[in-house]
Every structure is written in C-alpha cells, then in structure tokens.
Amino acid sequence: MKSSRTLGLVMIAPAAVMIVLFFLMPVVLTAVFSMTNMTTATGISGGVYQIAPNSLITLKSAMPEIAAEMAEPRYTIDEAGLKAVEGLGLAPAIAAELRAKHAGEVFATRRDVERMIKDLTERPSTREVKQISEQFNRSVLNTRFDSKEQLFSSLDGLGFKLTPEQKETVAKTTYTGWTWTTDNFSRMASSPDMARVLFNTVLYVALVLMLFNVGYALLLAIWTHYMPPTRASIFRGIWLLPRITPVVIYVMLWKWLAWDSGFISILMGRFGYPPKNYLLDTAYNAWFFVVLINGFIGASMGMLVFSSAMKAIPKSQFYASEVDGASRWQQIRYIILPQMRWPILFVTCYQTLSLLASFNEILLATNGGPGNATEVWALSAYHTALRNYAGNLEYGLGAAMALVLVVIGVVLSLLYLRVFNYGTLVAKPLIED
Amino acid sequence: MTILPTLKSLTIAAAILASTSAFALAKDVTISVWAGGTGPNDTYRLDAIEIAAQQLQREAALKGEDLKITVEKKPYSAWEDFKQALTLAAEAKTAPNIVVSGHEDIAPWSQSGLIVPIEDYVDLDSWPLNGIYENLLKIASYNGTVYGIPQDAESRPMFFWKPYMKAIGYSDADLDALPQNVQDGKYTMKNLLEDAKKMQDRGLVQPGYGFYPRTSNGPDYWQFYTSFGGTMEEGGKLVFDKAAMTRTYQFFADAVKSGVTKKNHIGMPGDQWWKEVATGKAGIWDGGTWHYARLVNQEGLTDFFGNVIFTLIPAGEGGKANTLTHPLVYLLTAGHDKEETDIAAQLITIASEPRINALHAVKSAHLGISEAESEVDFYSADRWTREATERLLPHANAMPNNSDFGTYWNIMWKNLEASWTGAKTVDAAIGDAESELKSTLGDKIVIR
C-alpha cells in the first residue's frame, strides 16, 4: 500500500509544482507587494542611493548646511584626476595640456568643464570628453550608488563630516527604491473612493448573481425542461452564444447598440428623440448595461448546471404529480426547487467568486465610467497597478487591493464549504486501504 | 616540402586573418524604438530614427567602419497600453533602446533607473542640439540633468467654429481680434460658456455640443486649472490650489448644468468626437495643435482656416490665458550595452536636425524644436505650423517633471470626472481630492 501512496505522490508532483508556481506564488507575491510602496517611480527590482536636487529639498529641513554643501556640483582639475586621465589610454597631449593650463581650476557644472576640454588643442571626441570630465567629478550630486556603503565612502572621500545618524538620514532621503509599509491598507481604509468602489462591487456581484446567474438561469432551465428536446437544445445553444463569443466582439456589439450613433439612437431618432450615448448617459444606464452584458454571459453556466440537475430528477415524480392533478407551478414549487438546493448553492458559490474577480467586460464597456460609477474593485486594482494615462503605476497599492479580493474569496469559499457541508460530500468511502 | 605548399598555407592563413579583421570592423547593431500616442500622422517619430541610421552608416563608412544598423520600430496608438508595456518591459530588462514618450515620464523613469541621462552620451553644445529651444530642453531635464531630447513641441489651443460665431453676432473683424482678446484677458471662460449657450439657443448646434472638450483624461485639463489661477509646482514641490481647483471643477459642472456640455461626454468613442468637430457639429472645443493634421488629413475638413479659428485657452476667474506644451522626448533606456546606447544617442542627435524634424512637424502638425527649423522653408511655408508657433508657443507652460506628479494627476482627474458627471458635488470632490492627496503624498504637496 505504501508503494501506491508514493506512486500517487509522484504522479501528483507535476500538478503540485504547477499549483505552487501559478496558484500559490501569485498570491504570496501579491501579499509581499501589498506591504510595499512600490510604484513606477520606485521600480520593482529595488533602488539605489542618489543625492539629487529633488531629495535635497527634503534633506534641507533636517540639515540645511550639509544639504547646501551637497548641492554644489564641483569639477576640480586635480592631480588624482589628471593621473586617471593618463590611465584612459587617450592621446598623451590631452593630459599634458590639462596639467599645464588648467591644474587647480574648479568648474561649477559638467557642461562648463566639458566646454574647457573641447577647447584643448587635441580636441577629443564627444565620448572621450565625457570620459575625461568624469575623472574630475568631485561631487556626489546625481551620482547613483548601489549601496549605502558606497554612498558613505563617497561622502567620506569628499570630506563630509557626518555622524552615523546623519548618514542614515541622508541614506533614507536619497533612497530611490521601495520600502516596506502598511500605508496601502490605511489608505484603503480612509479613502472615500475605496468605500464607493467596494459598494459598487457588492452591488455588481449581487445584481448579476441574483438577476441572471442564478435567477434567470433557473428560469431558462425550467423553460427548457418543459420544451421538446430539440427545441430545448436550440434554445440552450442560443444562450451559450454570449459565453462563446470573444468578449471584445461581444462588448463591441453592445456598444454599437447603445452609443450615440448606435441602434437604439437610430431607432429612437425615428420617434424624434435626439441621439445620445445610452451606455454612458447616466450612472443608472451604465449599471443597467453592465449588469445585462455580464448577466447574459453568466446565465448560461447556471442554465446548463440546472438543466442537467433537473434531468436527474426521476421522471416518475412528474408522472405521479400529474396524475394527482398538480399544476406546472406546483411541480416547480414542490418537486423541482427542493431538489435544486445543491446546484443553486454550487452556482451561487462559483459565480460569486468569478464575479468578484471579473472586470474585463466592464473595462471594455464603460471603463468604470461615467465618473467612476461602475468602477468595481478588481477593475480599480487593475487601473491602480497596471493601467492609467499618467503612467503612474502603483504596484503596491494595486497589490493590496488585489489581496483584499483574495481574502474575501478565501473567506467566502470557506463559508460556502461550510454551507455545502463539504464533509458529507467527500465522506470517506467505506472501503479503506 | 617545397616552397609552394608553404606559400599556399601562408596565403590561406593571411586570408583567414584578413577576413577576421574585416569581421572585427563589421558591426551589426539593432536599435529598437517605441513611440506612444502615435497615429498615422506621427510616423516620423520612428522613421526619423531610420533616416538617421542611414546617415550614421554613411559616416561610419567614411571612417572605414562597416556599421550596419537595423531599426526596429513599434508605434503604440494609445498611451495607457504604451506606458504599461514599456514599464513592464523595462522591469523585465527587455526595454527598447529608444523610447518616445511624454516629458512627464522622465521623473519617475529616471528615479527608478529605467532611463539614462542623454547628456552622458551627446554633446549639447554642438549642432543640432545647441539650437534646440532652451525652454524645451529644460522640460526634457530633471534634477538639473538633461535626460531627453525634445522630439516635438505643441500647444493646446481652443478652437471655435467660425460660421457659428458669425451667426451669433461676431463680425469678421471681431473674429480676427479674438486671439488677441483672449490673450489680453478680454474674452474669458465666462464669455466662452455664454457663446456656447447662444449657439445652442439659436439651434446652430444640438444641446451638449456648444462646448465640446476632450473626451478623455489628458494634459489639456491642467490648462483649465492654470486658467483659473492654479499652479502645479513651486520650488520643486507640487501645489494643490484648492480655490483654483474648485473653480476648475465648477466650470465643467456649470457647463454640464447649463447644458452646453454633455454629462456623458467623458468616455465617448474618440472617432465619433473627431467626426463631429470636423463637420461643425460642435461649436467650441479644445485640442492639440496636432489636431490640425487629423482634421485635414483624415476627417476631410479641407477648408480649415475658413471654418475654424484658434486661440489660447481663455482666462478664467483668478487666472490668465494660457496653453500647455507637452513635448514628446527621445529617451535612452537603461540596461543596454554602452556602445549600443551610444549609437542610439547619435541617432537621436541626427534625427533632431531641422530638416528631418520638420518632416514630423509638418506631417503631424506639431511645432518645431529649434529656431533653425522655423527657418527651413518647408516648415515656414506651412501656414498652420507658422501661425500656431507665433500665436501659442510664447505663452506655453508645461507640466512639472516630478516623480509624484502622476499620483497628483490621477487624483485630480478622478475627482474632476466625478464632479463633471454629478457623481460627487464639486465641494465633495475637492474634499476627497484633498484628503487623498494628504494621505498619499504627505508633505510632498503643498495644499493651500
């Protein structure tokens, strides 16, 4: 028996690797990112230390004199620099002329020193000018240091007398990368827009789920249940179309229907109504279409599950009820619905989770508009982390928002498993090893 | 062993040696360039690099080098997709060598190390770079370092449909004087809304078409903030002027309330908007100088000057007439071989030469980047580029290069849209913007 267990583990190994890589890792990474202030400006892979005019503004309030001194760019033609130029392997006359004519001179900007270098008799190429000027750079301004140690040794080398605390302050204000923080969560908690987005999400999931994914799906299943088999199949086939149509084309069809120049406007124009963008006209309109678009896609799954479940109800129950004179409504009320408890629970559970995470249809139809009226949580996380006009991608905040969805999903799953009474569903078989 | 085989093998050896030295001189380089916001009129953003490559190859040949440059071009029509693709590619170390993007990206991209300063590779004192307008070069700099070379300049004017302006009482002389009146602050935002209303009341345009602004987020909206007295940055710190922002939000809320602008205007299909402004369905609208190219080339508005008059964005209460220039810049990305980046920098330099850049300016109706370009006959003979340069460019401001500006922009836009559509009152939108700016940017923004 042991060998069969080992074999089982071996067989499950590829799947386990996949699960870890593609299911578990994204969640773990989301959790890690959510505890950072990562954005486009901080980068993902980590930062460097750069004393830039921008960071000196912050430093100025803490240590004004040192900040002012650091702000001074200096290019000094000193012996060390001249030696370094000699080592570059350029024409020897360059270093010689620099030593003879310019030793000891100090230049305020790189452009100044480069202008001087270009005036040398042996005019170096642009690339060489850049190489030479770098040898005389005696300033930390705008230089990027990979580590704190490099920054500190450079500051020491330039004669800055800083206490360890001051050094740490300099390092902190000049670090360009991301840092660990819980700010994302406090931002989410305090932002009125986040509350609005959360409300939108609850509204969206509840409306689509109740009206279409469960309600309308059940209605369709019952309708087709009482239809002749061929007609029922055709009907179900039609309802599958929104599901199997590529989502971009499907949403474009809706847009063509509802835009200013679309079908509804043309039709209403015949009755004297001016054309208008029915899709984005008001928040209510946008919601109406968002719910319809998603509902029509989502209804098919419930319809299929419910239809097959109804087929499993023994026919004898229907015959017997007809003999007893039961109406269709009574059959639905007393035979079908009581036996649909599990399928309904299953569809509710599954669709809640998928609706919580779905946003592509909304992105294509309204992009969260008008005025963020249809911005749901998943779409907002996407906009925050990956897509906005200003190009300011806030990976940390977006990850924190995604994490909230993961947590809600996990909690809901556990809740549903409890309601489902998962234990009885996967009860141990009587024949054990 | 005779002398012959020895000679033979020596010859072969020499031939092999010669061939390897030839190989050593031959250099095959691929330079990739991506450009955002690039439609059919803006292809010279990429093509100019290709033209430059031919020139550089010839120069190399004269120096005895066999340099072969292949230019890989990738245009992106939308900005969101482009910025997402570029930042993710750069993080994955697969960024192109050259990027053409808005100058406002310099701050965050340089801080995160995605781009390198172009002044490390080029001589800003030599032609053609020394001829580039000083203010444009400043916009392409951050932290006192020049990161990019301006690829174009532009400005964002207010457009008026002439026949409707005449129909509500403007004479030809009035219309000729309009640009100057706007500049002097005699024609204001208030007059603009009144005229838009008149056009609707006379039935010249449909309700909601009197004032027909940009349909999506964009730099244009900062011009309105400036119009109402707002400042974006001061002394290196971002500024949120509550009163000016309130007046800006209120302006759009009022436009919707009075019915001259549609509540559902934001998010409408772009193609529809273009068709409508090109055919006189809208009365007054704002846009970029580059709109001229699209209106004339793609939308069929052949008699542009007969139908449209353009001005600065009029002053609002507390502000001044203004326009915004939003130059795209050539940037060098990090993570490439130094020699490759050097070649890329040389290509950018050559592409900035007046004649080559004029191809882009004239085809796309953008403005030139140097004085010398305006002296190129091909450029100066073009009525649009000449008039737009004279009338607008001297009054142009730019968005700040600040690594936190994107955050400010997102918050500003989100709340403008909310107050526009009535999802929030203006006061609530300002309040929300303020509290979010405080919690997000802290002391990096001055709120007053």
Side-chain angles (χ1 to χ4, degrees), chain A residues 281-359:
Chain A
D281 190 38
T282 60
Y284 295 109
N285 280 25
W287 271 108
F288 177 74
F289 281 102
V290 161
V291 170
L292 280 191
I293 290 170
N294 286 278
F296 280 18
I297 295 177
S300 56
M301 182 193 157
M303 174 191 74
L304 290 180
V305 172
F306 298 147
S307 300
S308 52
M310 277 178 211
K311 277 207 179 115
I313 300 173
K315 288 262 188 305
S316 52
Q317 293 186 14
F318 289 99
Y319 298 145
S321 69
E322 297 220 345
V323 169
D324 289 343
S327 68
R328 284 274 194 271
W329 170 241
Q330 282 167 325
Q331 283 181 347
I332 293 166
R333 175 85 180 74
Y334 298 107
I335 300 173
I336 296 180
L337 286 183
Q339 302 192 60
M340 296 300 278
R341 190 175 151 228
W342 292 114
I344 289 175
L345 268 175
F346 165 73
V347 169
T348 308
C349 162
Y350 185 89
Q351 297 281 33
T352 314
L353 296 178
S354 64
L355 280 171
L356 267 176
S358 85
F359 66 85

Side-chain angles (χ1 to χ4, degrees), chain A residues 110 118 130 142 193 387, chain B residues 81 119-120 122-123 424:
Chain A
R110 180 162 83 173
K118 275 184 291 181
K130 304 279 171 195
N142 280 340
D193 289 313
R387 197 173 195 259
Chain B
D81 298 339
E119 69 166 55
D120 287 356
V122 298
D123 181 7
K424 288 180 192 173

Side-chain angles (χ1 to χ4, degrees), chain A residues 161-192:
Chain A
K161 302 268 181 294
L162 300 177
T163 61
E165 293 78 40
Q166 285 177 320
K167 279 186 182 172
E168 282 305 322
T169 314
V170 173
K172 202 174 160 218
T173 45
T174 59
Y175 185 60
T176 64
W178 51 268
T179 47
W180 298 106
T181 176
T182 51
D183 281 355
N184 297 324
F185 296 96
S186 47
R187 251 180 91 178
M188 274 194 284
S190 63
S191 164

